C-alpha cells in the first residue's frame, strides 16, 4: 500500500508522514527531498536553472518511479496533484489523503518561514492570507479528488491519531 499526503505548503504533510509511518510500519519519503537527492540540487536551484515546467516533469517522473515501493507514505509537494495526471495516478496506485488546513493556521505556520520560501518572501500577514486563499481556490478541485479529506480548523487537533484510525477502519484499505 502507498499513502500519498497532499495539501498546501505548511499543511503538515511531512510532519504527519514522519509520525504516521512508524505507527503503520511504513517507510516515509518526502517527495521534494527525494527529488533533490535524485537531481543533486535543491528545488530552488532546479526552478532557477531549468524553470517550473522542467521541475514539474521531473516531479511527475520521480513520483511515478515510487510505484516500485510498497508500504510507504509519500509527502507530496503542494503543487504535485495539480499537474499532468498526478492526482489520478496517485488515486490509482495508493490512498490519497488531503490535509485541508484552515487559512489562519497556514498563515501562522508559514509567516515565520517566509524567508525560506521564495513565493512567500516579503509578504505581510494579510498578503500571505490572500496568497494562500487564491492558491487554495485554484488547487482545491485537484486536492478534493483525494479519497480521504482531513479537515483541520483547530490547532490542537491530533491529525496523526485521527488519520491512523481512519486508515485502519477504512474497509477499502
Amino acid at each position: 500500500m502507498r499513502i500519498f499526503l497532499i495539501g498546501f505548503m505548511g499543511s503538515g504533510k511531512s510532519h504527519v508522514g514522519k509520525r504516521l509511518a512508524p505507527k503503520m510500519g511504513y517507510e516515509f519519503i518526502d517527495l521534494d527531498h527525494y527529488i533533490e537527492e535524485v537531481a543533486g540540487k535543491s528545488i530552488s536551484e532546479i526552478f532557477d536553472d531549468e524553470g517550473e515546467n522542467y521541475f514539474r516533469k521531473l516531479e511527475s517522473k520521480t513520483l511515478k518511479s515510487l510505484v516500485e515501493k510498497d508500504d510507504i507514505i509519500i509527502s507530496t509537494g503542494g503543487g504535485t496533484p495539480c499537474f499532468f495526471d498526478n492526482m489520478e495516478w496517485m488515486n490509482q496506485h495508493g490512498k490519497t489523503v488531503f490535509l485541508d488546513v484552515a487559512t489562519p493556521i497556514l498563515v501562522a505556520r508559514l509567516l515565520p518561514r517566509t524567508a525560506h520560501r521564495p513565493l512567500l518572501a516579503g509578504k505581510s500577514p494579510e498578503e500571505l492570507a490572500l496568497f494562500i486563499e487564491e492558491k487554495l481556490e485554484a488547487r482545491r478541485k485537484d486536492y478534493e479528488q483525494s479519497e480521504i479529506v482531513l479537515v483541520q480548523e483547530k490547532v490542537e487537533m491530533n491529525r496523526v491519531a485521527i488519520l491512523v484510525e481512519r486508515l485502519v477502519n477504512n474497509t477499502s484499505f
Side-chain angles (χ1 to χ4, degrees), residues 4-14 28-35 43 47 55-56 59-60 62-63 66 74-83 86-87 90 97-99 117 119 139 142-143:
F4 299 96
L5 300 176
I6 68 166
F8 199 75
M9 68 176 100
S11 64
K13 300 177 299 284
S14 295
F28 172 74
I29 290 183
D30 180 303
L31 185 61
D32 283 345
H33 293 142
Y34 191 70
I35 290 168
I43 301 294
F47 264 78
F55 170 75
R56 294 300 178 188
E59 177 183 54
S60 185
T62 306
L63 171 70
L66 297 173
I74 300 159
S75 166
T76 67
T80 305
C82 308
F83 291 89
N86 291 344
M87 191 66 211
M90 288 186 286
V97 179
F98 169 29
L99 301 181
R117 297 183 183 254
L119 288 175
R139 293 177 174 181
D142 296 304
Y143 289 168

Side-chain angles (χ1 to χ4, degrees), residues 16-56:
V16 169
K18 287 176 187 174
R19 283 151 187 80
L20 182 60
K23 290 183 183 300
M24 298 187 71
Y26 282 20
E27 177 184 358
F28 172 74
I29 290 183
D30 180 303
L31 185 61
D32 283 345
H33 293 142
Y34 191 70
I35 290 168
E36 289 176 337
E37 286 177 25
V38 169
K41 54 174 121 176
S42 72
I43 301 294
S44 295
E45 290 172 324
I46 296 169
F47 264 78
D48 291 344
D49 296 346
E50 309 293 341
E52 182 177 8
N53 190 45
Y54 175 87
F55 170 75
R56 294 300 178 188

Side-chain angles (χ1 to χ4, degrees), residues 92-155:
Q92 290 174 351
H93 292 90
K95 189 155 297 282
T96 51
V97 179
F98 169 29
L99 301 181
D100 188 3
V101 178
T103 298
I105 297 171
L106 291 172
V107 170
R109 289 180 185 167
L110 293 172
L111 198 56
R113 299 187 280 171
T114 57
H116 304 293
R117 297 183 183 254
L119 288 175
L120 308 180
K123 291 190 181 346
S124 70
E126 296 79 18
E127 291 169 328
L128 182 58
L130 183 60
F131 173 82
I132 291 168
E133 286 292 334
E134 289 173 354
K135 283 288 191 187
L136 271 174
E137 181 64 28
R139 293 177 174 181
R140 190 162 290 282
K141 69 179 181 352
D142 296 304
Y143 289 168
E144 288 182 343
Q145 293 176 38
S146 293
E147 294 178 59
I148 295 174
V149 177
L150 188 60
V151 178
Q152 181 180 8
E153 295 175 341
K154 298 182 271 184
V155 175

